[in-house]
Structure formats: structure tokens, C-alpha cells
């Protein structure tokens, strides 16, 4: 993928080309975690349970181009959604660009290394369980806090 250097500094999220949008993703995998919404408060809690289509080595969707048909509940990020999804971490590149903040040194567009998000401990690499290995009826047992963090803490 070829993108112009520093494109994120001169454009809003809505102005990004599809190629730039994809390049901006930091590859943390947090979007691929299951979420639970509190029916009373509407607050969304992340779990440490990852979608079965998430590659647990690269933190990339195995069915990315077909993800919405394979997993209808998959949240496909858009500029409007980035502004409204409170569960996105403060480190999310989309959120940072939306707020006019710089990308961190570990972001691959800065470091030149797609694995720097993992080395920085920001990704879910090695910190989650595949949905295939748990009872999804007990998802509330997997709620996490302190994200991103080197160790996800179960509430």
C-alpha cells in the first residue's frame, strides 16, 4: 500500500481516501473485541474475547473484505462512528486524528514497522481469548478495564 507521507496531518477523517483510511488503522485489534452494553446506563464495556475471525498473531481480520457478511455485528468504523464510540481507546489513530493530535511514535506510519503497536503493548496480541473457546452466554465474566494496558484486568 502506498500512501502520501503525513496525509493524516492535513486532512480530516472524512477527507481521507479509502486507502488512507485503511493505512491509518494502527492494527491494535481492539475493534474486534466483543462488547457488552449495560441496558440501564447504555455504557459499553469491552471484553477480552476476540471475534473468531481475528488472526491471533497479526491482529488482522481473516475475512476483512467480507467481514460484514461473515459477522453482521462487526462494527465498521466511519468518521461519524469514531466520534461517537466511547469504547475506542485514546490511543486509536482515528480518534487522535479526529482530535487533531499527533500519532504516537509506535504507530506504523511513524515507526515504519507494522509490529510496533505490538511491541509497545498497545495491541490485543497475546491478551485475548477466541470466542470459540468460551461460553458466549457468560460473556460478562470477560469484561476488562484499563485498555490498552500491558495486562488486561478482568472486572
Amino acid at each position: 500500500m502506498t500512501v502520501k507521507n503525513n496525509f493524516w496531518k492535513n486532512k480530516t477523517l472524512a477527507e481521507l481516501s479509502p486507502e488512507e483510511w485503511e493505512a491509518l488503522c494502527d492494527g491494535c485489534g481492539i475493534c474486534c473485541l466483543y462488547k457488552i452494553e449495560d441496558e440501564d446506563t447504555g455504557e459499553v464495556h469491552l471484553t477480552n474475547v476476540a471475534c473468531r475471525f481475528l488472526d491471533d498473531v497479526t491482529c488482522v481480520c481473516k475475512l476483512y473484505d467480507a467481514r460484514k457478511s461473515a459477522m453482521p455485528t462487526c462494527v465498521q468504523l466511519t468518521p461519524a462512528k469514531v466520534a461517537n464510540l466511547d469504547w475506542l481507546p485514546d490511543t486509536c489513530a482515528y480518534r487522535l486524528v479526529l482530535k487533531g493530535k499527533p500519532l504516537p511514535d509506535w504507530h506504523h506510519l511513524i515507526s515504519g514497522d507494522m509490529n510496533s503497536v505490538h511491541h509497545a503493548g498497545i495491541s490485543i496480541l497475546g491478551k485475548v481469548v477466541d470466542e470459540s473457546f468460551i461460553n458466549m452466554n457468560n460473556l460478562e465474566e470477560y469484561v476488562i478495564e484499563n485498555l490498552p494496558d500491558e495486562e488486561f484486568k478482568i472486572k
Side-chain angles (χ1 to χ4, degrees):
M1 178 181 314
T2 305
V3 294
K4 292 182 180 177
N5 288 336
N6 301 321
F7 64 87
W8 62 92
K9 292 181 180 180
N10 305 313
K11 294 183 177 185
T12 66
L13 290 179
E15 294 171 331
L16 296 179
S17 70
E19 182 181 52
E20 291 167 334
W21 179 267
E22 295 299 324
L24 187 58
C25 176
D26 53 43
C28 69
I30 292 169
C31 292
C32 299
L33 297 179
Y34 275 87
K35 296 119 188 113
I36 298 177
E37 183 174 358
D38 185 308
E39 293 177 5
D40 297 327
T41 66
E43 185 178 2
V44 176
H45 302 279
L46 291 173
T47 71
N48 70 337
V49 179
C51 172
R52 67 183 171 273
F53 299 119
L54 182 71
D55 183 307
D56 63 355
V57 174
T58 62
C59 291
V60 173
C61 181
K62 297 174 195 172
L63 299 175
Y64 188 75
D65 291 335
R67 66 192 182 281
K68 285 300 287 178
S69 59
M71 180 65 70
T73 58
C74 180
V75 176
Q76 190 167 354
L77 291 182
T78 64
K81 287 181 183 174
V82 169
N84 295 311
L85 293 175
D86 293 335
W87 53 263
L88 286 172
D90 292 336
T91 57
C92 175
Y94 297 116
R95 178 165 277 174
L96 292 170
V97 169
L98 179 70
K99 294 180 178 182
K101 294 184 177 180
L103 297 180
D105 290 343
W106 53 259
H107 193 282
H108 66 90
L109 291 173
I110 305 297
S111 71
D113 179 3
M114 291 298 292
N115 291 313
S116 58
V117 65
H118 309 307
H119 298 305
I122 304 301
S123 78
I124 64 172
L125 184 65
K127 302 173 188 174
V128 297
V129 62
D130 183 299
E131 71 175 289
S132 305
F133 298 109
I134 71 152
N135 180 344
M136 292 295 282
N137 292 323
N138 298 329
L139 195 56
E140 65 279 351
E141 295 176 10
Y142 297 88
V143 170
I144 57 176
E145 51 188 51
N146 300 332
L147 185 66
D149 195 350
E150 299 228 1
E151 293 295 327
F152 291 166
K153 296 177 176 80
I154 304 298
K155 283 188 174 180

